[in-house]
Amino acid sequence: MNIYINDYLITTEDFESSQIYVAAEVKRLIKFSFKVKHEDYHDVTTLLYQNDFRVSVPDEQMNMEATIYNYSTSFTNLYEKGSVGDFYLMLVEK
């Protein structure tokens, strides 16, 4: 499934959407995993450091403003040519 974060295309390995309560408000939460190659590492991490996102999931007809709720990566040295890391991202609606 394709997800666009600030117009940057990410192809997910899985995707889940749910709702959570944040400060007594119901917010949408999305979770997904994706692979990051050595050559894409800088672009992806620079994107994630922005923390404020426009998110579009065309297959789900979903558009929202979101921030990072949780984020993790595998212990892969993505500075090494040919390496691939696993990223896991949870975004919550603003």
Side-chain angles (χ1 to χ4, degrees):
M1 178 175 299
N2 291 332
I3 297 178
Y4 294 88
I5 299 177
N6 293 352
D7 298 322
Y8 186 91
L9 173 62
I10 293 176
T11 302
T12 64
E13 297 178 352
D14 54 11
F15 177 85
E16 183 180 332
S17 176
S18 61
Q19 294 182 334
I20 62 169
Y21 285 96
V22 177
E25 291 185 56
V26 176
K27 301 285 186 173
R28 200 171 1 194
L29 178 74
I30 61 172
K31 310 172 191 178
F32 54 94
S33 301
F34 57 103
K35 301 280 188 194
V36 176
K37 297 177 183 177
H38 158 78
E39 44 282 338
D40 300 321
Y41 176 67
H42 177 75
D43 291 342
V44 171
T45 55
T46 300
L47 171 69
L48 295 179
Y49 283 129
Q50 294 175 21
N51 199 49
D52 293 312
F53 310 112
R54 290 177 321 280
V55 179
S56 174
V57 186
D59 289 350
E60 297 289 319
Q61 298 164 353
M62 180 185 299
N63 291 292
M64 67 179 186
E65 299 291 320
T67 60
I68 294 175
Y69 187 76
N70 196 352
Y71 161 66
S72 64
T73 64
S74 61
F75 191 74
T76 302
N77 183 354
L78 290 173
Y79 291 110
E80 293 179 11
K81 190 173 181 174
S83 61
V84 177
D86 296 311
F87 279 53
Y88 176 73
L89 189 59
M90 296 171 70
L91 301 174
V92 66
E93 181 178 20
K94 287 173 114 179

